[in-house]
């Protein structure tokens, strides 16, 4: 761990080092989570279709694994047979089948029940957990034919949440429950090669591959939970972060390290949850229109300000966020992801934060985030939550923490034997890009998982900056990560911790 006791030094010039140059960032975004707006918008697809699609894609995978694992299994001279549907299992027969896990939790809100009772549908009160010690959750396996309730000690050895595709081996008991003896999960999918998508696009254009050699070490900085509230407490910590990213603080070695940061990713919750937009008494809608005519920008801003005033909107947090980003943009590209507390829709996938929120920073955005296919992205990019794309050839995917936090509600503090809450967070994140991250977590954690075909995935959680003062740096060659922590005590200091 390296510690710098002071971020402030006397100005001096050292000609032997010369001017520091920040390396360029190779960025190739994907738009897999983009939702179309306007007349072409389609909202008919619901979660049932998502679960069915996942089952269609993965059921064959777990069936193949089960055939290899259980085709020769015998218990008391009885050979395991395959039940094509979950409702085809028979009492007393050793069999295996595959389907989707459904966990029935007693405290999970059920909108259908409210509709049946004729009650008004309102936002449910926030719950830290859906788990109750009074009523145990019911675990079921379902497919298009129906549901089968699962039982047995095997269920306590795995992390099970709604939507997981599994194959189960066991037998139906006298209570109509399927006693699980063994359980198989789909493994990591194939992983793209580094630079694969960039090379494919380049070859399609001019038929040539690019030799990529960079003398300077590149890093990508990740931060989440800025939680800007517009109070006097915001500028101090944001100024420390700004000075570090711009290389305006610390000694020469730290400035050289900061100069290698080729992109900043802000992973959601940039606005404090304490900032509330109040609706006026009338039923007028709050509309921010998108206008591509630069000459009308001033009129658009005036109309937007009028709408915000009518809705009791506090502009200070978004203004401060805009100032923070615009100060960085001449030196470093910035990608900002929507989050739970940010100014966009609440349901997933969240749309990009509209560039109208950033009157200064949007000068660096070369395309409209609501029409991502129009142009190549600029130095300032507002993206969806979740988000995926390629940075320096590595396939990256991440979210601002909402999916991970929601999954944690299934467990409370009751994790399977040998699995801690920290390990559980990383376990729930197992996917197969090259890098997968989740923002707005209580602390930083990381690990590397490996698949059967030599896949390697770097997982890490990004802590809330407002609470911890920490950002994460990802090395673009080794995919090692390190933490940079800013503290304001009697003396301003910064610490860095590297993790392999």
């Amino acid at each position: 761990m390296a510690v710098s006791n002071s971020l402030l030094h006397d100005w001096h010039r050292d000609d032997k080092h010369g001017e520091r140059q920040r390396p360029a960032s190779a960025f190739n975004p994907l738009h897999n989570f983009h939702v179309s707006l306007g007349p072409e918008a389609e909202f008919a697809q619901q979660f049932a279709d998502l679960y069915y699609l996942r089952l269609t894609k993965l059921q064959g995978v777990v069936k193949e694994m089960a055939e290899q694992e259980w085709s020769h299994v015998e218990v008391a001279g009885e050979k395991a047979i395959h039940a094509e549907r979950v409702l085809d299992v028979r009492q007393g027969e050793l069999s295996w089948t595959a389907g989707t896990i459904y966990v029935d939790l007693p405290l999970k809100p059920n909108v259908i029940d409210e509709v049946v009772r004729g009650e008004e549908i309102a936002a449910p009160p926030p719950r830290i957990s859906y788990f109750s010690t009074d009523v145990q959750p019911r675990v079921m396996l379902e497919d298009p034919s129906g549901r089968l309730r699962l039982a047995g000690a095997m269920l306590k050895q795995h992390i099970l949440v709604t939507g997981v595709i599994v194959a189960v081996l066991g037998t139906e008991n006298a209570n109509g429950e399927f006693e699980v003896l063994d359980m198989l999960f789909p493994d990591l999918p194939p992983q793209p090669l580094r630079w694969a998508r960039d090379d494919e696009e380049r070859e399609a254009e001019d038929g040539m591959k690019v030799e990529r050699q960079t003398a300077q070490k590149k890093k990508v900085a990740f931060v989440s939970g800025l939680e800007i509230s517009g109070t006097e407490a915001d500028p101090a910590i944001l100024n420390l972060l700004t000075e570090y990213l711009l290389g305006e603080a610390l000694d020469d070695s730290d400035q050289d390290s900061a100069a290698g940061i080729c992109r900043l990713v802000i992973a959601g919750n940039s606005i404090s949850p304490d900032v509330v937009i109040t609706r006026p008494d009338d039923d007028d809608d709050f509309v921010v229109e998108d206008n591509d005519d630069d000459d009308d920008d001033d009129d658009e801003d005036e109309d937007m300000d009028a709408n915000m005033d009518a809705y009791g909107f506090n502009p200070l947090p978004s203004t401060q966020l805009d100032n923070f980003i615009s100060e960085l943009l001449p030196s470093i590209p910035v990608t900002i992801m929507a989050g739970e507390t940010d100014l966009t829709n609440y349901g997933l996938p969240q749309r990009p934060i509209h560039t109208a929120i950033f009157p200064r920073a949007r000068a660096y955005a070369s395309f409209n985030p609501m029409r991502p296919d129009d142009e190549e992205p600029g130095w300032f990019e507002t993206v969806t939550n979740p988000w995926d794309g390629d940075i320096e050839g590595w396939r990256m995917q991440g979210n601002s923490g909402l999916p991970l936090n929601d999954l944690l509600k299934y467990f409370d503090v009751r994790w399977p034997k040998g699995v801690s809450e920290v390990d559980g967070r990383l376990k729930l994140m197992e996917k197969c890009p090259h890098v997968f991250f989740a923002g707005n977590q209580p602390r930083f954690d990381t690990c590397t998982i490996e698949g059967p075909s030599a896949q390697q995935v770097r997982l890490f959680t990004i802590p809330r900056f407002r609470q911890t003062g920490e950002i994460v740096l990802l090395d673009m060659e080794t995919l090692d990560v390190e933490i940079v922590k800013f503290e304001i005590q009697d003396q301003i200091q910064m610490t860095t911790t590297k993790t392999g």
Side-chain angles (χ1 to χ4, degrees):
M1 176 182 293
V3 180
S4 177
N5 290 325
S6 177
L7 289 172
L8 305 178
H9 295 274
D10 291 336
W11 181 88
H12 67 279
R13 180 176 178 177
D14 192 344
D15 291 332
K16 70 177 182 179
H17 291 289
E19 185 182 29
R20 294 179 176 87
Q21 296 291 332
R22 193 184 300 275
S25 169
F27 184 74
N28 197 349
L30 288 167
H31 304 290
N32 291 329
F33 301 100
H34 176 75
V35 178
S36 299
L37 297 177
E40 70 277 10
E42 176 59 59
F43 298 99
Q45 298 290 341
Q46 297 297 318
F47 289 113
D49 300 299
L50 178 64
Y51 289 130
Y52 180 75
L53 177 62
R54 183 185 294 144
L55 179 62
T56 303
K57 292 284 187 181
L58 296 178
Q59 191 174 37
V61 176
V62 293
K63 281 184 177 180
E64 184 178 347
M65 296 172 62
E67 285 281 1
Q68 297 176 0
E69 188 76 15
W70 298 330
S71 59
H72 304 294
V73 170
E74 292 186 9
V75 175
E78 181 182 3
K79 189 175 180 179
I81 62 174
H82 174 215
E84 187 66 33
R85 306 182 309 163
V86 299
L87 294 187
D88 289 340
V89 300
R90 295 292 179 262
Q91 185 175 335
E93 290 184 351
L94 180 66
S95 60
W96 63 269
T97 188
T100 305
I101 290 291
Y102 175 77
V103 182
D104 186 13
L105 296 165
L107 298 182
K108 189 173 182 180
N110 191 330
V111 176
I112 301 300
D113 290 342
E114 296 180 2
V115 173
V116 171
R117 292 194 301 264
E119 299 177 359
E120 292 186 6
I121 300 176
R127 289 191 174 103
I128 299 176
S129 174
Y130 299 144
F131 191 91
S132 172
T133 56
D134 299 329
V135 182
Q136 291 298 315
R138 297 184 300 168
V139 180
M140 288 167 273
L141 189 71
E142 66 178 18
D143 66 8
S145 70
R147 283 181 179 173
L148 179 67
R149 184 167 180 178
L150 305 182
M154 177 62 63
L155 302 182
K156 298 181 180 179
Q157 300 180 21
H158 298 283
I159 298 176
L160 297 175
V161 296
T162 298
V164 174
I165 309 299
V166 300
V168 292
L169 171 70
T171 183
E172 187 177 5
N173 59 27
N175 297 325
E177 299 173 331
F178 192 81
E179 290 280 345
V180 180
L181 302 177
D182 198 5
M183 186 175 292
L184 294 176
F185 300 84
D187 218 317
L188 293 178
Q191 189 178 56
L193 297 175
R194 186 185 182 187
W195 299 111
R197 197 159 65 97
D198 299 69
D199 287 339
E200 289 173 1
E201 293 183 0
R202 181 62 182 265
E203 288 178 9
E205 292 177 1
D206 53 26
M208 298 179 60
K209 276 195 172 183
V210 179
E211 294 293 332
R212 297 176 177 88
Q213 294 181 350
T214 304
Q216 189 172 359
K217 198 171 184 179
K218 295 183 182 182
K219 300 177 183 178
V220 172
F222 293 83
V223 66
S224 68
L226 295 175
E227 298 180 10
I228 299 174
S229 61
T231 64
E232 295 180 356
D234 294 325
I237 192 70
L238 286 179
N239 287 343
L240 291 181
L241 178 58
T242 301
E243 291 177 0
Y244 169 72
L245 293 173
L246 295 180
E248 296 176 350
L250 306 175
D251 54 24
D252 289 335
S253 62
D254 291 312
Q255 291 178 8
D256 289 336
S257 176
I261 299 175
C262 61
R263 179 170 291 271
L264 171 66
V265 176
I266 304 175
N269 288 14
S270 300
I271 302 297
S272 170
D274 297 331
V275 178
V276 179
I277 300 177
T278 57
R279 186 184 178 94
D281 294 334
D282 58 31
D283 293 329
D284 293 340
D285 292 331
F286 180 17
V287 178
V288 179
E289 296 182 351
D290 177 37
N291 193 330
D292 293 333
D293 189 353
D294 294 337
D295 294 336
D296 295 336
D297 279 351
D298 294 338
D299 295 337
E300 178 185 342
D301 292 340
E302 291 177 2
D303 294 339
M304 180 181 173
D305 292 340
N307 276 323
M308 289 178 174
D309 291 340
Y311 275 72
F313 178 77
N314 179 5
L316 291 179
S318 58
T319 300
Q320 204 161 331
L321 175 63
D322 182 35
N323 293 339
F324 165 69
I325 294 176
S326 62
E327 190 171 355
L328 296 174
L329 281 170
S331 175
I332 180 172
V334 177
T335 299
I336 182 169
M337 181 187 300
E340 182 180 11
T341 64
D342 293 321
L343 302 175
T344 184
N345 64 302
Y346 187 80
L348 293 179
Q350 288 184 292
R351 300 189 186 104
I353 303 173
H354 201 286
T355 51
I357 302 297
F358 307 100
R360 296 181 62 190
R362 67 181 177 186
Y364 294 85
S366 61
F367 79 110
N368 187 324
M370 301 305 173
R371 295 194 295 274
D373 298 327
D374 285 357
E375 298 180 34
E376 291 295 321
W379 271 43
F380 176 55
E381 185 189 19
T382 62
V383 299
T384 60
N385 174 38
W387 169 83
D388 60 350
D390 297 338
I391 301 180
E392 290 300 306
W394 300 110
R395 180 64 49 81
M396 298 194 182
Q397 188 176 101
N399 58 71
S400 65
L402 276 171
L404 181 56
N405 294 338
D406 193 54
L407 288 175
L408 290 169
K409 295 178 181 179
Y410 279 70
F411 306 103
D412 195 20
V413 294
R414 295 171 175 264
W415 292 92
K417 185 177 180 181
V419 178
S420 68
E421 192 267 352
V422 170
D423 297 331
R425 287 180 184 266
L426 295 175
K427 185 71 176 175
L428 291 172
M429 291 172 59
E430 293 185 0
K431 294 179 179 292
C432 202
H434 296 111
V435 176
F436 186 75
F437 61 88
N440 299 288
Q441 298 303 301
R443 52 167 289 177
F444 164 76
D445 288 297
T446 184
C447 70
T448 300
I449 59 172
E450 298 184 0
S453 303
Q455 306 100 316
Q456 289 191 335
V457 186
R458 165 65 70 179
L459 308 177
F460 63 89
T461 57
I462 310 169
R464 297 167 59 189
F465 183 77
R466 184 64 180 261
Q467 303 298 321
T468 65
E470 295 177 344
I471 67 172
V472 179
L473 300 184
L474 175 68
D475 190 291
M476 287 290 96
E477 290 303 318
T478 64
L479 295 186
D480 291 340
V481 290
E482 62 182 297
I483 278 286
V484 177
K485 182 178 179 66
F486 303 90
E487 293 180 301
I488 302 178
Q489 300 174 347
D490 295 337
Q491 192 175 30
I492 298 174
Q493 61 179 354
M494 184 194 79
T495 62
T496 61
T497 303
K498 293 187 178 180
T499 304

